[in-house]
Each structure stands twice: as C-alpha cells, then as structure tokens.
Amino acid sequence: NKNNLTPERLECLRNRKVIVIPDSDALDDWKAKIDKCKDIATFTFSSFCQTQLLECGKKGDVADWIIEHIMPEREITS
C-alpha cells in the first residue's frame, strides 16, 4: 500500500535489496515515496509493472495478473 511507504515503516528493510512491484497506475507515486527512503535500502522497480501489469488495465496489480495468467479458470459452484 503506497500510503504505508514511510521511512518509519520501511526501517525494517534497512540494508536490504527490495524489488518493488506497484500497481500499474501508481508507479510515479511509489517512486516519489521510495525516493525519500533510498538511504534505508536498495529499492529496484521491477519492469514487470511497466510491461505485464499494463495488460490488466489501468489499475492492474500483481493479483490481477496472477488471476488472469496463472490461475486456471474454474467453475463457480454454490
């Protein structure tokens, strides 16, 4: 959640390498917030969010991509 990207919350990641996969419509917001925390950890934005997630629509996220590409279609029964 981009609202939780604060230095205080990310402190537990100190000196780690972190791959960031934001929702496709929030990339700029995440970059701005992560930029304020770059002294905590090494953050790398996955190219996945700029390629595959865009296939899922304007607000695509990892869960949407998994449902669309990995989960087999299932019949819903009651």
Side-chain angles (χ1 to χ4, degrees):
N1 181 320
K2 67 183 173 188
N3 294 323
N4 290 325
L5 294 176
T6 64
E8 297 79 24
R9 291 193 181 244
L10 297 178
E11 184 60 38
C12 62
L13 300 174
R14 179 153 300 278
N15 300 323
R16 296 187 182 261
K17 294 179 182 177
V18 180
I19 298 173
V20 181
I21 307 175
D23 295 357
S24 60
D25 68 330
L27 186 60
D28 291 336
D29 293 338
W30 278 59
K31 283 183 178 179
K33 290 186 177 245
I34 290 294
D35 192 50
K36 295 175 184 175
C37 302
K38 62 184 174 188
D39 62 320
I40 295 173
T42 302
F43 296 95
T44 303
F45 283 83
S46 171
S47 61
F48 184 82
C49 55
Q50 295 176 328
T51 55
Q52 279 82 7
L53 288 186
L54 292 176
E55 295 174 9
C56 297
K58 185 176 179 172
K59 291 191 174 202
D61 64 16
V62 172
D64 294 330
W65 190 89
I66 290 171
I67 290 168
E68 190 173 310
H69 291 88
I70 296 177
M71 300 278 298
E73 290 192 29
R74 299 179 185 180
E75 272 188 46
I76 299 175
T77 58
S78 35

